[in-house]
Amino acid sequence: MEHYKTITELHERSGYPLPEHPMISLLTCQELSTCSWGNSKFTADFYMIALKKIKSGTFLYGKTKYDHDNGSMSFVKPRQVLEINNVELSEKAFVIYVHEDYLLGHPMHDEIKKYGYFDYEINEALHLSPSEELIMWELYEKIGVEYRNNQDEFSKDIILAHLDSILKYAQRFYKRQFINRTQLSGGTVSRFQKILRMYFESGKVQQFGLPSVHAIASELHTSARYLSDLLKQETGKTALEHIHIFLIDEAKNLLLGTDKTIAETAYQLGFENPPYFSRLFKKEVGLTPVEFRLKG
C-alpha cells in the first residue's frame, strides 16, 4: 500500500499536472480521464474533500463501500486508508487536497479536527440537494480564484476562510441529512437498544466485557462517530451516554433485586474496575450504589 507524504507525490503517481502550491491542490474532474485514480490503495498526510457522482467502480474508506447512487461529498483525514478501483464519474466533480502542515499556525489546524464527519465511513457520505451542491461549487470556485492567481500574503487566509465555509456548510447539511434519514429509517434508538439488550442477554458482557460504541455501530452497519452524531441529533445524547444509561438502569435493578455485593454487581455488568462503576453510578444517579440500595 502506498503512502504519500506530499501532494506532489500523489499528482506524479496519478499523472496529474503538478499542483500550483505544494501544500494544497484543487482538481476539477470532467470525466474518468481527468481524475483517474486507477486501482490503488493508499494513505496520505493530507485531508481530502471531494464532491463526486460515481457511475461505476468502488471507493472504499476503511472496509465500507461508497454508496454511489447519489452525488455526495466525502471527507477523508490524514492516514485514513482509501481504496479506489475502476472509478468512473458520471458528472463533473471536484477534489481538494490540503496537507496537514498547511494548517500549522492557523486556527483551522484545531478546528478541522472537531468536524466528526472526517471519521465517518464512505457509505455515510454527505448527500447534497441541487441547491446545496451549488453552494459547495461556488465556494470551491472562490478557492480556485485565490489558488490560481498570483498568491500573496492574504491568499492563505482567504483560501482557508472559504474552506472553513465548506466545512461549516457540510456540518449544517449533515444535520439536515440526519433528520431526513431518521424520518425514513426511524427507530435508530430502538435498534440501538435492542442490540444492547441482546448483548447482555446473550452473555457477551461476561465474555467480552462492556459493549463498545464501535461494536454496536458495526451491528448497525455504520461508523461509531456517525452513530453517535445521529443519536445526538435524534435524542440529545451520544451513543456512549445511551450505553451508560442502559448500564445504570441494569445496575439499579440488580442493586434492589439481588443481594450481590457492589463489586459482584459491577462484574456482572462487565466492569473490570468496581470503583469506576461506583463513580459512573454516582455521576448518573447522584448517589453511590450503597446509598441507592439503602434508600431503596
Side-chain angles (χ1 to χ4, degrees):
M1 180 172 62
E2 299 227 30
H3 175 76
Y4 298 109
K5 293 183 177 180
T6 68
I7 295 173
T8 299
E9 289 175 352
L10 175 64
H11 275 242
E12 291 175 340
R13 177 69 176 80
S14 304
Y16 307 150
L18 293 180
E20 300 276 342
H21 190 289
M23 293 287 184
I24 184 169
S25 172
L26 306 183
L27 294 171
T28 307
C29 316
Q30 299 288 349
E31 56 190 20
L32 177 63
S33 60
T34 57
C35 260
S36 173
W37 290 285
N39 298 321
S40 60
K41 186 175 183 179
F42 65 91
T43 59
D45 289 341
F46 38 86
Y47 293 91
M48 185 185 85
I49 300 166
L51 188 156
K52 57 202 178 298
K53 293 185 181 180
I54 293 179
K55 182 164 65 176
S56 62
T58 58
F59 193 113
L60 282 78
Y61 183 75
K63 298 180 180 178
T64 311
K65 282 188 179 181
Y66 165 68
D67 172 8
H68 58 254
D69 292 337
N70 297 292
S72 63
M73 293 194 73
S74 8
F75 302 83
V76 180
K77 65 183 180 180
R79 290 166 292 283
Q80 173 64 50
V81 177
L82 274 177
E83 185 173 355
I84 303 168
N85 296 305
N86 300 313
V87 167
E88 184 176 352
L89 301 170
S90 60
E91 291 186 22
K92 188 169 73 167
F94 72 68
V95 182
I96 305 173
Y97 295 116
V98 182
H99 199 284
E100 57 188 353
D101 289 350
Y102 187 66
L103 307 179
L104 291 175
H106 192 277
M108 186 172 283
H109 180 267
D110 294 323
E111 285 297 316
I112 198 169
K113 297 172 184 176
K114 297 177 183 177
Y115 292 107
Y117 46 75
F118 279 99
D119 289 314
Y120 294 172
E121 300 285 3
I122 286 296
N123 67 326
E124 299 148 358
L126 176 58
H127 298 276
L128 299 175
S129 69
S131 60
E132 292 168 350
E133 196 171 320
L134 181 61
I135 289 171
M136 293 302 192
W137 271 108
E138 288 174 347
L139 289 168
Y140 173 78
E141 295 297 343
K142 287 179 179 179
I143 293 174
V145 169
E146 288 297 322
Y147 178 75
R148 296 185 180 90
N149 289 341
N150 292 325
Q151 297 190 33
D152 56 30
E153 67 269 29
F154 301 104
S155 297
K156 181 175 180 178
D157 282 341
I158 293 171
I159 286 172
L160 291 181
H162 292 317
L163 183 64
D164 185 54
S165 292
I166 286 177
L167 299 179
K168 282 185 168 64
Y169 271 111
Q171 186 85 319
R172 170 187 282 180
F173 298 156
Y174 258 118
K175 286 185 178 294
R176 180 268 309 157
Q177 182 166 300
F178 288 147
I179 293 169
N180 289 348
R181 290 194 169 185
T182 297
Q183 291 170 346
L184 288 173
S185 62
T188 304
V189 175
S190 62
R191 288 187 293 131
F192 181 90
Q193 294 286 354
K194 181 179 178 181
I195 290 171
L196 199 52
R197 173 67 60 186
M198 290 175 62
Y199 186 89
F200 276 85
E201 290 179 352
S202 66
K204 288 183 179 178
V205 68
Q206 281 77 36
Q207 186 177 0
F208 302 110
L210 291 174
S212 67
V213 176
H214 185 272
I216 298 175
S218 295
E219 291 282 336
L220 290 168
H221 307 292
T222 186
S223 67
R225 191 60 182 264
Y226 188 87
L227 174 63
S228 195
D229 287 351
L230 180 61
L231 289 172
K232 182 76 171 180
Q233 177 67 32
E234 193 171 338
T235 69
K237 296 185 181 297
T238 65
L240 184 59
E241 287 172 326
H242 277 282
I243 291 174
H244 286 168
I245 290 169
F246 181 90
L247 288 169
I248 296 306
D249 283 344
E250 291 293 307
K252 287 178 178 178
N253 184 57
L254 289 172
L255 288 169
L256 296 181
T258 72
D259 294 326
K260 292 180 182 293
T261 66
I262 304 304
E264 288 172 337
T265 300
Y267 291 135
Q268 184 170 339
L269 291 171
F271 289 89
E272 296 181 0
N273 186 343
Y276 171 69
F277 162 70
S278 295
R279 289 195 300 271
L280 178 62
F281 193 95
K282 175 71 179 291
K283 177 184 175 183
E284 296 293 331
V285 180
L287 301 169
T288 67
V290 172
E291 290 169 341
F292 178 82
R293 175 173 270 170
L294 290 174
K295 185 178 179 181

